[in-house]
């Protein structure tokens, strides 16, 4: 068995990736950074395969005005600018969002607990090879209100694959914004 990861944002601590058999990333810049830090990295460029168009309906009249399909993130961490942009757009435009609307308190508590008690969540074979999760320990999320609870008529369950492409085909404008630490390269849709 191989232990691999996909990562395409700025890395603060390359130690997280020590012990992996390979790191896949979406840009040559990130591939070079991993390799400069002694890690086995390969660039796998993301792209659009035009053959997907054979499997979705391309309507003449678009039924959706303005959409976002993807991870919204939270008002902290590496998605904070994306979150703020989408929050502003939901407050000021007819933007509709298809995303998971995670309740971060339970997710963040899980990460914090995993940091303190990783033996319960992470197999020892992996724990020996990769350092633990630290970024969410002690995070206060008490004032956070998920966008789905604030905009229930315009926040929909996440879509993936063909269903996501179909929604984009039905949209006049489908908005995207990259993670805060993606540098100058786009490595998603």
């Amino acid at each position: 068995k191989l232990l691999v990861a996909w990562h395409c944002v700025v890395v603060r601590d390359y130690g997280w990736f020590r012990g992996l058999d390979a790191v896949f990333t979406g840009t040559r810049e990130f591939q070079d950074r991993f390799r400069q830090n002694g890690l086995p990295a390969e660039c796998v460029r993301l792209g659009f395969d035009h053959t997907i168009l054979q499997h979705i309906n391309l309507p003449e009249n678009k039924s959706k005005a303005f959409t976002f399909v993807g991870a919204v993130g939270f008002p902290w961490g590496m998605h904070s600018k994306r979150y703020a942009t989408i929050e502003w757009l939901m407050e000021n435009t007819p933007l509709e969002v298809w995303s998971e609307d995670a309740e971060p308190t339970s997710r963040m508590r899980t990460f914090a607990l995993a940091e303190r008690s990783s033996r319960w969540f992470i197999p020892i074979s992996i724990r020996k090879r990769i350092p633990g999760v630290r970024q969410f320990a002690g995070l206060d999320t008490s004032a956070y209100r998920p966008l789905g609870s604030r905009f229930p008529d315009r926040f929909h369950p996440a879509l993936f694959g063909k269903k996501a492409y179909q929604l984009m085909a039905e949209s006049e404008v489908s908005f995207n914004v990259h993670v805060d630490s993606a540098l100058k390269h786009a490595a998603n849709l």
Side-chain angles (χ1 to χ4, degrees):
K1 293 183 182 180
L2 296 176
L3 188 58
V4 301
W6 168 266
H7 196 81
C8 199
V9 295
V10 172
V11 175
R12 292 187 188 127
D13 180 4
Y14 287 90
W16 278 77
F17 299 92
R18 303 270 180 246
L20 291 176
D21 296 299
V23 178
F24 297 102
T25 188
T27 71
R28 294 273 183 230
E29 182 178 4
F30 287 123
Q31 174 188 292
D32 292 344
R33 288 178 179 210
F34 279 111
R35 287 181 176 177
Q36 289 164 3
N37 282 277
L39 296 162
E42 295 297 328
C43 180
V44 179
R45 293 190 186 275
L46 300 177
F48 179 78
D49 182 352
H50 71 280
T51 60
I52 187 68
L53 298 176
Q54 300 168 13
H55 303 283
I56 61 174
N57 176 30
L58 299 173
E60 285 187 34
N61 298 317
K62 309 289 186 174
S63 61
K64 302 290 182 191
F66 188 26
T67 62
F68 174 85
V69 181
V72 171
F74 300 106
W76 57 82
M78 73 172 68
H79 294 96
S80 60
K81 290 179 185 173
R82 175 189 298 168
Y83 181 92
T85 300
I86 292 171
E87 180 180 43
W88 186 91
L89 287 169
M90 292 196 82
E91 290 169 348
N92 295 284
T93 74
L95 178 69
E96 289 188 70
V97 172
W98 279 259
S99 182
E100 74 172 43
D101 193 28
E103 179 56 54
T105 52
S106 62
R107 177 184 277 184
M108 299 305 129
R109 284 186 195 134
T110 299
F111 278 118
L113 181 58
E115 169 62 20
R116 291 188 299 272
S117 309
S118 62
R119 68 180 182 274
W120 296 333
F121 296 97
I122 304 169
I124 192 164
S125 61
I126 294 174
R127 222 175 44 237
K128 284 181 178 178
R129 294 170 72 180
I130 300 174
V133 176
R134 292 182 186 89
Q135 64 181 347
F136 298 115
L139 182 64
D140 179 14
T141 61
S142 60
Y144 172 75
R145 282 189 55 218
L147 292 177
S149 66
R150 294 172 49 202
F151 305 97
D153 296 337
R154 294 187 291 131
F155 206 100
H156 313 283
L159 296 176
F160 301 94
K162 184 179 171 184
K163 290 179 181 179
Y165 282 111
Q166 185 62 54
L167 178 70
M168 288 185 268
E170 295 169 2
S171 303
E172 288 288 332
V173 175
S174 193
F175 173 76
N176 189 16
V177 61
H178 300 288
V179 68
D180 300 357
S181 59
L183 300 179
K184 61 184 178 181
H185 300 285
N188 64 6
L189 287 177

